[in-house]
Amino acid sequence: MKLKTTTLFLLTATLLNAGFFSHDKEYYLSHPDDAKAKFESCKQEFVEALKEKDKDKIKDIQADSECRDAESAYKQHKRELYRAKRELEKQQRAKEMAKKKKAYEKEYQAKLEVFKQSDFKSFMALKKECQYFSGAKLFGKDYSPKAAKCKAWKELQKDKEQKELTTLLSKYPDEKLLEYKNQVCKNALYGDLTCDFARKAYEERTKQIVDYYVSHKDKLKQDFNECQHKIDKLNKSSKYQESQKVKDSYKCFMAAQGAMKFRIYGYFQPMK
């Protein structure tokens, strides 16, 4: 009995080695190493047949279902490995992105609190760095510390600037604001922060007064004609320098700005 079993085993092994038993695609799908070996074996035989120009052998290999099944299973397995690799990379990128976003949000909140407490001059020192920083990258959004910092800066910029203008308008009433502007801008270089906001505050003050004159034309008429009378009197006396000083005075400058809303340009005639 033992002899028969041994003989049967040897016979089966011999048949397998001789290629009398073939495998289908289902087998190769579950045995990817065998699929690869069979595919490469068939490929090598095909190459040799081409070299020998053995048309019959070429046809036989092309018609061999096991070769086709092994090739199909092998390539399917490669695709599955590729997809698995891509999925793993995707998950890793997602984890890295989540980590970057968390750090970005933490940095953003921290800078927001710092900037809220900082004085205007210190805050505006970051203008050059952050004003035109978009926070966008070629592929996706920038989650760098600089992006978080500049996002916080931009979020507070408008409010900080408005508060500074409000402070200047409150601190320097009427012509005091003009005096302050002339003082800080006298030797200021282009882009000087203090001078720029003094000018903006003065522009805002001018707009406020002009709007008031437009709504109160009688008051505009009174102030304008008072200036016109002084200027006309000085011009008639050939006191042109003094006349120009009156024109440039705070009150007469504002009255002239208001008068332009009614298409009156200059102190040539009284306002009717």
Side-chain angles (χ1 to χ4, degrees):
M1 183 67 180
K2 184 176 180 181
L3 181 60
K4 289 182 179 180
T5 302
T6 303
T7 303
L8 181 61
F9 174 78
L10 291 173
L11 179 60
T12 302
T14 302
L15 290 171
L16 286 171
N17 289 334
F20 288 102
F21 291 96
S22 62
H23 299 296
D24 57 11
K25 184 176 180 179
E26 186 177 352
Y27 169 83
Y28 282 126
L29 285 172
S30 59
H31 298 79
D33 290 340
D34 290 350
K36 181 180 179 182
K38 181 62 178 177
F39 167 69
E40 290 179 347
S41 174
C42 293
K43 183 179 178 181
Q44 184 60 37
E45 289 180 13
F46 186 76
V47 171
E48 290 174 358
L50 286 174
K51 288 180 179 178
E52 297 170 0
K53 298 182 180 180
D54 189 336
K55 294 182 179 180
D56 291 334
K57 190 174 182 179
I58 291 173
K59 288 181 180 180
D60 289 342
I61 296 171
Q62 289 176 331
D64 190 319
S65 61
E66 186 174 5
C67 283
R68 292 199 302 272
D69 288 342
E71 179 182 8
S72 178
Y74 171 66
K75 290 183 177 179
Q76 182 175 329
H77 180 65
K78 284 186 67 177
R79 289 194 296 271
E80 290 171 354
L81 286 177
Y82 177 75
R83 284 196 291 268
K85 181 182 178 183
R86 289 292 298 273
E87 182 60 29
L88 180 61
E89 291 173 347
K90 181 180 178 182
Q91 291 175 4
Q92 289 175 339
R93 286 195 300 269
K95 288 180 181 179
E96 290 173 2
M97 182 57 68
K99 187 177 179 180
K100 285 183 179 180
K101 286 182 178 180
K102 186 176 180 180
Y104 171 86
E105 185 62 26
K106 184 178 179 180
E107 180 71 8
Y108 160 71
Q109 293 295 340
K111 291 301 182 184
L112 208 58
E113 292 305 313
V114 170
F115 291 156
K116 284 178 181 178
Q117 302 302 320
S118 63
D119 63 87
F120 183 69
K121 190 172 183 179
S122 298
F123 177 80
M124 292 303 291
L126 291 170
K127 183 177 181 179
K128 185 176 181 180
E129 180 181 358
C130 288
Q131 186 172 23
Y132 299 109
F133 183 77
S134 66
K137 298 177 74 177
L138 184 59
F139 300 103
K141 185 176 179 180
D142 186 352
Y143 290 102
S144 66
K146 180 179 179 179
K149 177 177 67 177
C150 288
K151 179 186 176 184
W153 187 88
K154 286 182 177 181
E155 189 168 316
L156 296 175
Q157 179 188 7
K158 187 175 181 180
D159 184 58
K160 284 276 190 179
E161 290 180 349
Q162 187 56 51
K163 284 182 179 179
E164 179 66 10
L165 290 177
T166 300
T167 298
L168 291 175
L169 289 168
S170 175
K171 187 176 180 180
Y172 300 101
D174 303 322
E175 63 269 19
K176 292 293 183 183
L177 184 58
L178 176 61
E179 293 172 4
Y180 170 74
K181 177 181 77 72
N182 291 338
Q183 177 189 345
V184 297
C185 292
K186 186 176 181 180
N187 298 310
L189 299 175
Y190 175 79
D192 182 87
L193 180 67
T194 304
C195 177
D196 284 350
F197 273 82
R199 284 173 176 161
K200 287 180 180 179
Y202 189 67
E203 289 170 3
E204 180 61 26
R205 171 65 53 74
T206 302
K207 181 180 180 301
Q208 291 174 355
I209 293 177
V210 168
D211 289 345
Y212 174 81
Y213 275 145
V214 170
S215 301
H216 300 79
K217 190 176 179 181
D218 289 342
K219 176 59 175 171
L220 171 61
K221 182 178 178 181
Q222 176 185 333
D223 291 348
F224 182 89
N225 287 344
E226 182 180 326
C227 291
Q228 195 277 334
H229 177 72
K230 290 180 181 179
I231 293 166
D232 185 59
K233 185 177 180 180
L234 290 168
N235 286 338
K236 287 179 179 177
S237 300
S238 299
K239 296 180 179 180
Y240 301 115
Q241 288 186 346
E242 292 180 31
S243 171
Q244 187 61 46
K245 287 181 180 179
V246 174
K247 286 181 184 179
D248 294 338
S249 67
Y250 179 81
K251 180 179 179 179
C252 293
F253 172 79
M254 291 298 182
Q257 294 297 307
M260 285 194 289
K261 293 293 183 178
F262 297 94
R263 297 184 179 181
I264 298 173
Y265 305 99
Y267 285 105
F268 302 107
Q269 297 290 334
M271 187 174 182
K272 296 180 181 179

